[in-house]
Amino acid sequence: MTAAPSRRRVAVQGVVQGVGFRPFVVTLAAELGLRGHVVNTGDGVLAEVEGPPRAVDAFCRRVAADAPPLAQVASVRHEAIAVTGGAGFTIAPSRTGGGPGRSLIPPDTATCAACLAELADPANRRYRHPFITCTDCGPRFTIVTALPYDRTRTTMAEFPMCPECAREYRDPADRRFHAQPVSCHSCGPRLTLRAKGGAPVGGDAALTGARRLLADGAILAVKGVGGYHLACDARNAATVALLRRRKNRGDKPFALMARELADVEELVRPGPAERALLTGPVRPVVLLRRDRADRTLDAVAPGGPDLGVMLPYTPLHQLLLGLPGDPDGPRLLVMTSANLAGEPIVTDDGEALERLAPLVDAWLAHDRRIHVPCDDSVMRVVDGLPLPLRRSRGCVPTPVPLPAPVRPVLAAGGDLKNVFAVAEGRRAWLSGHIGDMDDLATLTAFDRAVAHLTAVTGVEPTAAVVDRHPGYRSARRAARLLPGAPVPRVQHHHAHIAAAMAESGLDGGRRVIGVAFDGTGYGDDGAVWGGEVLIADYDGYRRFAHLGYVPLPGGDAAVARPYRMALSHLRAAGIAWTADLACVAACPDDERRVLAHQLASGLHSVPTSSMGRLFDAVSALAGVCQRAGYEAQPAIELEAAAHAHGPADGYRFALRDPGGPLIAEPAPVLAEAVAELRAGAPAGVVAARFHTAVADLVRRLCAAARERHGLETVALTGGVFGNAVLLSACGKGLAADGFTVLRHRLVPPNDGGLALGQLMVAARAPDPEAWNPKTED
């Protein structure tokens, strides 16, 4: 006897829009012989299925288990409803009502293999189409203007589909069934090449002209999915040097885009984890260790230990680098964000023509608007594990799961490498990389990004969580966006540690030993902290140990001129400023006299415990870097010297117990380094021994914390732990000592992950109106 039909309403939440989920549901229902419909809503996807009970049960199981590759199903809820009859299974018009949305928009995804095959197939109607895409790849987050995710709510709404694309869009058997960015040569978008002094050209002529210009040594502005890049032939040292001068880049390395991995394999040796990142759907810039014997790309990355490499992630990039059979052209391009240091990436076409005019010789643009700016993500691999250094394109807006529920909140992040977050319940949505909050363009970008992220997530923040620094612009901006709302403040290094705990799934029920090493963070005593070991959970922290204070002479001047930091540390260690030391020789006589007075009197010299500044000091002392042309240059080049030398026995910090936090004194380290330098030791020896010394210090301090507090878990966080040599040495050493080691996997250890920790700390406050951080003396 045939069972009576049943009908069920099935609600699916997660990343289920923009990933071909409705077409998948249609196909699954047809396979199971079910009737009904499916619809996008502000909360996700809603289906009603009717048919034999066994088939309905199978649908409810398989709707998550068999989901499309880019989908991330968070929950499936279903309920029995009345049978209605009818025939067939349809996609119904999207529903926009029902309160704030909770659907999760997928990130932009690299071009899939099927689309790449069509791109290179002369028989395919999308042959050489710069915007080829399907349900499994292409732009998503950067083109979304509202939810639910439909073409009308993206910047593709400006391009009506041609009859052939519309047929594919409506055909359940086609892989472009309901692919919202679907397009072809007929319906657009379209390319335009504008060279200075020349008439604009479009179509394939634009690509041909762009490739010719690159081969001839020109610098181009190239419009991507999340903003403009500046591009040139990476092997043309003169052009790379010209770009560096035009952009006022200093010695900061440029990112590279290679046509394929083989084009860089004589320069770097990617391992399996690095290859997976390079060829996966995110396609970040991956930092790869250079073959130091090869000097061909010194213009691209002078002094650095790594080359930042990415593979093409859009069809436009593929065409720019050339398809098989194309005339020869550059196979390795510099591909760097089109902005000045710290500013947001340029996305607007008119702004690109104006602001980039001093930098470029031509513009390769298209007429699809970028609604959300999104820089390239940056990652490296340490001990086989990915370490994010910038979480942006390809990762945003995928939420970070939270180990405990939080109230609706906006976390402002920091002022450098700003990334903010909005959160509610057990999800946090981090923004892409915004930039340094020191100019109007970045502040405006912050406001726009907050408005967009709150709109697409449906989070309505009731508090703005900010850093404790009284002068942070990010704090003032967040408070301004939420007038009258509580503004809880979280200590900088506490937030770093909380971020590491949160992404590791710790609920805060047990404290951790938090090692937070960075350049700058506002301390409870008004000093500049940055070499901290805290006993912490989400509720509060105790300062267990820190690097000994030395003066930071002139604030930012000491950061820009590392020799000043070296002289400050030498003076604190009682080591004379003799002319045979590189840092002394680098400091002009007049400046040295002023500096001596500053350090003696304390004038404009706030005390700092920063580990980042100690790295600067040792870099200058060893003669590696005396002037910083970009952030962390002294430390990056010191790491390069240590890596080139290889492992070495370390110096040893002194530990002092004044009755409060333990104090790690670098004086013995500096004394040994000076003695070796005076004996003729090369910089690499000092660099390697210093890295070993810092790793040994971490192990000793964590052992002391375990002895006093019985804790077995260590969180390694802060920008200094972007250093692969140090992170590896600390991680392996602590694991050998029996500790559970938390490393960053989902958010950066630098200030790009700060917002995640801020919101977790604030979430523990029972009443944000009366919020007050708990610290222990």
Side-chain angles (χ1 to χ4, degrees), residues 75 113 129 180 211 224 262 313 445 451 709 735 749:
S75 66
H129 177 47
Q180 305 308 332
R211 295 186 71 229
Y313 55 86
H709 298 283

Side-chain angles (χ1 to χ4, degrees), residues 569-627:
H569 266 286
L570 289 176
R571 182 182 183 278
I575 299 172
W577 295 356
T578 54
D580 60 324
L581 297 177
C583 55
V584 177
C587 185
D589 291 344
D590 290 347
E591 184 179 354
R592 195 158 62 245
R593 285 191 290 270
V594 172
L595 187 62
H597 174 69
Q598 271 189 290
L599 294 174
S601 65
L603 183 67
H604 303 306
S605 297
V606 63
T608 181
S609 60
S610 167
M611 182 60 78
R613 298 290 79 82
L614 179 59
F615 267 80
D616 291 353
V618 174
S619 185
L621 177 65
V624 173
C625 180
Q626 303 296 351
R627 290 181 179 270

